[in-house]
Amino acid sequence: MPLKLKGDVIYNEIPSSKDKALKINLNKYIYGTFSEIGAGQETVRHFFRAGGASGTIAKAMSAYDKDFSDSIYGIEEDGRYVTEERLKKMLAHEIELTEDRLHRKNHPGKIFFSYANTVTTIDFAKKFKGHGWVGIKFQLDPLEEYNEIILHVRFKETDAKLQQETLGILGVNLIYGAYYINDKPKELLKSLYDNLHKVQIEIDMINFSGQRFSYVDNRLMSLLLVKNGMTNAVMFGPDGNNLLPAHQLYKANILALRGSFRPVTKVNMDMFTLAKNLFLNETRVEAENTKIIFEITLTNLSTEGEIDERDFLERAELLCSLHQNVMITNFQEYYKLVEYFSEYTKARIGLAMGVSSFVQIFDEKYYRNLSGGILEAFGKLFFKDLKVYLYPLKDQRTGEIRTSENLKVHPRMKELYKFFKYNGRVVDIKDYNPEILDVFSKTVLEMIANGEHGWEEMLPKGIAEIIIEERLFGYSRRKFAKLK
């Protein structure tokens, strides 16, 4: 046992990839297959080199040839090979073969796994850095059903060999985490970057499934990807399942509505409905190729500097009940959000926002980190055909309705604002409901906290019932009884 000296700092020592692979190999019950396509057999290489692999590795293969791969896993309808569907087929096929070829009575204690990845590394011209799907299907007891962890990665390195090595380390981390950190999914998530750095690889989607992960909310896992700096944006759909942003946004028309949605109010839904109608009436915008996104930033999720995970899930639950796609981002400035969208589409992009949020865009303090200042930010924000659909604001002091015609920006910004206004980049939402302009999420929360009547009418149909039934946002049984 090493000596402890005065002044030593206690820290958790991260085991090396070799140590992780060796621990797996020395377990006489863990037994499985490796199927790796697109970047060599980088993960299984660690297990071979660690020693004692004969009791762990049932098979290692790389079906690189497309025809050969199709003969094993079947032909994909879209003709693509680096997809989640392909990965799932690989995992399921190899587990089925293992179960078929090894009789349980001869191997009563074995716990099987199937690890797979299907990736494409950086191209020769170094324009496309590559991406891929990585996953494991595994059991922790011979008599239980299989669990599954699937993730999507984007490579950041500019050398194919480095990307291969990074993928190999990531694979070791995933297998080790599945067996030894499965009871702590948050820690498992962080461990995927053991012996790696975030400048090497980005993880922008992850899904846990199976009996061992029945308590895991994948929406929370998505939030943690952004919170931990593993990616800048994640998405999940109305069913609560995580979505791959690159797939959802690819060549799509995008309309985004940013807010805290704590809780979602009639104002939010009025803005959404009217902005959607205006956006769909734009030229070259078709409903079937349009994605509408409710976006929440990490800043909007923070309470006193910390992110309240339960509060996040409560907001997510309400938005999902309204059948909306939700995106969590680390883009405090709007121009960064538009830049992100522009990575995946050259189609139309629209932003729906209130007057107060729009005025903040013209505050120079947000762009001090840019060499070109606010002009550079606006060049990125009003990308090509981008339009802002502006929802009016009622002045609480004077009762005046603020629109694009009478909003107030800093005197230095007036001419800049006029340029975008007169070029049709700012469109007023006119058919709004004037009776709900006094509705604010903050007011609703205060009324709930004080046990007051009337907040229910400020929310979309069905939302108040969910808050009461699920006791969201601090709603207690005592308040419910008081209101009744």
Side-chain angles (χ1 to χ4, degrees), residues 18 115 146 160 186 201 209 222 236 377 420 470:
K18 180 180 179 180
Y115 167 84
Y146 286 89
K186 293 180 183 179
I201 198 166
S209 60
S222 276
F236 54 87
F420 294 110
E470 302 293 333

Side-chain angles (χ1 to χ4, degrees), residues 280-461:
L280 292 178
N281 283 329
E282 299 284 354
T283 57
R284 303 192 307 277
V285 174
E286 298 177 353
E288 57 270 21
N289 189 37
T290 296
K291 293 292 181 182
I292 299 177
I293 298 166
F294 281 60
E295 184 229 3
I296 308 175
T297 68
L298 284 187
T299 303
N300 280 333
L301 286 172
S302 300
T303 303
E304 299 179 356
E306 293 294 327
I307 293 177
D308 187 328
E309 294 176 358
R310 179 176 178 179
D311 178 75
F312 159 71
L313 290 175
E314 289 174 352
R315 298 191 224 185
E317 194 67 33
L318 295 183
L319 290 173
C320 287
S321 72
L322 293 169
H323 310 291
Q324 301 303 326
N325 291 315
V326 181
M327 175 173 277
I328 311 299
T329 76
N330 198 25
F331 305 127
Q332 185 173 357
E333 297 86 4
Y334 273 105
Y335 79 87
K336 292 182 179 180
L337 177 65
V338 174
E339 262 192 317
Y340 178 77
F341 289 154
S342 302
E343 290 182 32
Y344 302 110
T345 184
K346 298 187 184 308
R348 285 188 176 274
I349 300 173
L351 299 175
M353 67 178 77
V355 168
S356 59
S357 296
F358 183 68
V359 171
Q360 287 182 1
I361 291 177
F362 288 85
D363 192 331
E364 292 180 280
K365 70 180 181 182
Y366 296 114
Y367 315 111
R368 289 170 182 163
N369 61 317
L370 296 176
S371 58
I374 193 170
L375 292 179
E376 180 181 343
F378 272 65
K380 295 176 178 179
L381 174 61
F382 288 94
F383 173 80
K384 291 189 176 180
D385 295 329
L386 180 135
K387 286 187 178 181
V388 172
Y389 301 96
L390 198 61
Y391 196 81
L393 172 70
K394 183 178 179 180
D395 190 308
Q396 296 299 298
R397 184 174 59 85
T398 65
E400 183 182 13
I401 304 299
R402 300 282 185 185
T403 68
S404 68
E405 299 296 335
N406 61 354
L407 60 79
K408 296 180 180 180
V409 297
H410 193 281
R412 290 199 304 268
M413 298 294 109
K414 280 186 177 180
E415 298 305 316
L416 182 62
Y417 167 68
K418 288 179 182 178
F419 173 81
F420 294 110
K421 167 64 178 173
Y422 294 140
N423 280 281
R425 297 303 187 90
V426 182
V427 180
D428 280 312
I429 296 176
K430 296 180 179 180
D431 298 326
Y432 60 90
N433 181 359
E435 297 180 0
I436 62 175
L437 292 183
D438 292 317
V439 173
F440 297 95
S441 295
K442 183 179 179 180
T443 304
V444 174
L445 286 177
E446 289 176 351
M447 293 177 72
I448 292 176
N450 296 328
E452 299 177 27
H453 289 278
W455 60 269
E456 299 91 340
E457 287 71 34
M458 300 179 180
L459 309 182
K461 184 178 180 181

Side-chain angles (χ1 to χ4, degrees), residues 34-43 61-66 69 73 81-83 86-87 90 115-123 128-134 153 155 159-165 167-168:
F34 293 77
S35 304
E36 305 184 68
I37 300 177
Q41 293 183 289
E42 293 302 308
T43 300
M61 65 176 294
S62 295
Y64 264 65
D65 180 77
K66 293 181 179 180
S69 181
Y73 304 116
Y81 291 84
V82 185
T83 65
R86 191 63 166 188
L87 179 76
M90 294 167 68
Y115 167 84
N117 65 55
T118 174
V119 305
T120 175
T121 53
I122 192 168
D123 61 354
F128 179 69
K129 290 185 179 179
H131 72 108
W133 291 89
V134 183
V153 301
F155 295 111
D159 180 83
K161 182 180 178 182
L162 293 177
Q163 291 182 355
Q164 290 172 340
E165 292 173 354
L167 180 65

Side-chain angles (χ1 to χ4, degrees), residues 193-323:
Y193 277 91
D194 286 356
N195 306 302
L196 292 173
H197 195 278
K198 295 180 180 70
V199 299
Q200 296 174 267
I201 198 166
E202 173 184 347
I203 302 174
D204 56 1
M205 198 196 91
I206 190 165
N207 271 321
F208 294 80
S209 60
Q211 178 182 338
R212 296 281 177 157
F213 302 123
S214 59
Y215 64 94
V216 174
D217 192 312
N218 282 308
R219 295 172 298 187
L220 179 57
M221 294 299 107
S222 276
L223 170 64
L224 294 177
L225 287 178
V226 182
K227 180 182 176 182
N228 295 338
M230 299 176 181
T231 189
N232 285 317
V234 293
M235 281 185 70
F236 54 87
D239 58 0
N241 287 327
N242 291 339
L243 303 171
L244 180 64
H247 178 69
Q248 296 295 315
L249 305 177
Y250 184 65
K251 292 186 177 180
N253 302 298
I254 303 169
L255 175 63
L257 172 65
R258 172 178 287 185
S260 63
F261 309 115
R262 188 177 186 260
V264 59
T265 66
K266 284 185 176 180
V267 170
N268 297 136
M269 296 312 293
D270 196 41
M271 186 189 304
F272 153 72
T273 302
L274 298 175
K276 174 184 175 183
N277 293 338
L278 290 171
F279 188 65
L280 292 178
N281 283 329
E282 299 284 354
T283 57
R284 303 192 307 277
V285 174
E286 298 177 353
E288 57 270 21
N289 189 37
T290 296
K291 293 292 181 182
I292 299 177
I293 298 166
F294 281 60
E295 184 229 3
I296 308 175
T297 68
L298 284 187
T299 303
N300 280 333
L301 286 172
S302 300
T303 303
E304 299 179 356
E306 293 294 327
I307 293 177
D308 187 328
E309 294 176 358
R310 179 176 178 179
D311 178 75
F312 159 71
L313 290 175
E314 289 174 352
R315 298 191 224 185
E317 194 67 33
L318 295 183
L319 290 173
C320 287
S321 72
L322 293 169
H323 310 291

